[in-house]
Amino acid sequence: MKNEKKAFEFSPSLSVPFRDKKEIERALQIKREDIEKHDNPDFKIRVVPDSDTEFIWVTDLFKRIKHSAETGEKLVMILPNPAPSYRHVARLINACNIDCRNVFGFAMDEYADEDGNIAPEEWKFGFTHAMMKYFYYEIDEKLRPPKNQIVGFTNKNINDYSKMIEDAGGADICYSGPGWTGHLAFIEPDAPEFQAPLEEWKQMGARICTLSPYTLAQNSLHGSFGKSGNLAAVPPKAATIGPRDVIHSKNRFDMHAITVHGTSTAWQRSISRLVLHGPVTPLVPESILQTLRTDVFVSETIAQNIEPDWNKGY
């Protein structure tokens, strides 16, 4: 019947950062054929084959480094981690004898302990460690930029990190991808350190913040932590860039392609729709990209329609 009540109604858990059921339902109903459509012509969404996503990112990164070498122009990048794919970029740099002297890289984020002490480069589970291991040290020594041009968060630089990016000339490119909470870097929607109205929030720079329980769960599936859901393995806090650093970047490249080890199961399928087509709000931090010039790539698996699979339990 038209006016028949639903059998069971409930409100989302108070632990869920964004709880507007109407907006969530609207976003989740967006079909594969409509996901590329957006009112902002500078917010360019493209759906691509799953197998192409890694190569699209590697190609973009290498293209920018090659252009820097050919023109002598400085290249300043905000880089995500952990990403073993950096090895492919380094391989291309070495094979093509690309001089990286003008390349500057800033890690997007890094773990911190309960007191806000930032993990050092030597910690093998950390993001700076991954950036140096898979990227910097894979580049032939004669082609590498000076080490002080590849920067990770430290206890000494956290308060000046945003200024360091600005002093380098500002980021030419900020690479990103949404976390389960819709976080960008570790800009969490439920972190007390990022609680502010939208316009004030947009001006926030780098800082230490509290990680969401959902981020702990997401990152407990990282290969470095054994892919086994050990929540206690993930540090409780992190150092991260702020919304201001993303907004001030000259270009942005956003990738939506995370699945559970190549299966059709993907927590990113829902949050991607909110990021790309939901309201612009600090409660979904990556949604700020909708207002900016951004190149977005969505894998076919993430773009596929959201519908029940009654034959699948756990």
Side-chain angles (χ1 to χ4, degrees):
M1 295 176 61
K2 187 174 181 180
N3 296 321
E4 184 178 358
K5 292 183 179 179
K6 293 183 179 179
F8 183 56
E9 288 282 356
F10 63 93
S11 296
S13 167
L14 293 177
S15 67
V16 176
F18 183 76
R19 298 191 294 275
D20 187 326
K21 289 184 69 172
K22 183 177 180 180
E23 285 292 344
I24 292 170
E25 185 62 25
R26 181 186 64 79
L28 268 54
Q29 291 300 315
I30 294 171
K31 302 299 183 184
R32 156 66 180 84
E33 58 267 26
D34 297 320
I35 205 165
E36 292 181 333
K37 301 173 183 177
H38 200 278
D39 291 339
N40 179 6
D42 288 332
F43 188 63
K44 301 180 184 300
I45 306 170
R46 279 163 277 187
V47 177
V48 298
D50 288 50
S51 58
D52 287 6
T53 55
E54 180 181 25
F55 299 102
I56 290 170
W57 179 57
V58 166
T59 299
D60 189 88
L61 187 52
F62 177 70
K63 174 191 72 174
R64 294 178 188 277
I65 294 172
K66 183 172 181 289
H67 178 80
S68 172
E70 292 173 344
T71 63
E73 296 175 4
K74 180 188 288 188
L75 172 64
V76 181
M77 303 181 289
I78 296 176
L79 298 171
N81 290 286
S85 298
Y86 283 125
R87 293 176 298 187
H88 305 315
V89 180
R91 187 177 296 117
L92 289 168
I93 289 169
N94 296 339
C96 299
N97 200 38
I98 303 297
D99 188 337
C100 299
R101 73 178 69 182
N102 296 314
V103 172
F104 292 72
F106 290 85
M108 175 172 276
D109 42 22
E110 181 58 278
Y111 290 117
D113 68 15
E114 63 275 16
D115 297 317
N117 296 306
I118 298 169
E121 179 188 331
E122 296 73 28
W123 191 55
K124 66 180 181 179
F125 302 101
F127 290 168
T128 302
H129 180 85
M131 180 174 66
M132 303 306 288
K133 175 182 178 180
Y134 295 121
F135 186 39
Y136 186 77
Y137 291 122
E138 287 289 331
I139 299 172
D140 288 346
E141 190 170 358
K142 65 178 182 178
L143 301 174
R144 293 174 194 160
K147 190 179 178 185
N148 64 3
Q149 292 177 197
I150 306 300
V151 184
F153 283 94
T154 68
N155 292 332
K156 291 183 178 180
N157 70 21
I158 177 63
N159 293 327
D160 298 313
Y161 205 80
S162 293
K163 187 175 184 300
M164 290 170 66
I165 297 173
E166 293 166 1
D167 288 347
D172 295 292
I173 182 68
C174 177
Y175 293 104
S176 62
W180 203 333
T181 63
H183 70 213
L184 198 170
F186 276 141
I187 304 167
E188 295 281 24
D190 48 358
E193 298 85 359
F194 279 112
Q195 297 306 302
L198 178 61
E199 292 305 314
E200 181 182 338
W201 176 86
K202 287 161 62 175
Q203 301 304 315
M204 290 181 168
R207 66 196 58 214
I208 299 290
C209 80
T210 304
L211 293 181
S212 169
Y214 300 103
T215 296
L216 301 185
Q218 174 192 327
N219 288 14
S220 74
L221 300 179
H222 283 189
S224 58
F225 294 126
K227 303 179 294 184
S228 300
N230 180 7
L231 298 175
V234 186
K237 293 189 176 184
T240 179
I241 59 169
R244 146 185 157 195
D245 303 308
V246 179
I247 293 168
H248 288 180
S249 296
K250 300 178 184 71
N251 297 280
R252 283 152 293 273
F253 179 110
D254 196 48
M255 182 69 74
H256 301 236
I258 297 177
T259 64
V260 178
H261 216 62
T263 70
S264 61
T265 300
W267 51 258
Q268 208 173 46
R269 192 175 295 122
S270 291
I271 197 62
S272 287
R273 281 167 165 78
L274 278 173
V275 163
L276 302 177
H277 297 288
V280 176
T281 169
L283 295 176
V284 184
E286 266 228 355
S287 64
I288 191 63
L289 297 178
Q290 293 185 50
T291 68
L292 304 167
R293 172 70 178 85
T294 308
D295 291 305
V296 182
F297 297 91
V298 182
S299 72
E300 285 284 0
T301 295
I302 301 304
Q304 69 182 232
N305 296 345
I306 297 176
E307 52 195 13
D309 180 353
W310 299 111
N311 293 314
K312 173 68 176 173
Y314 283 107

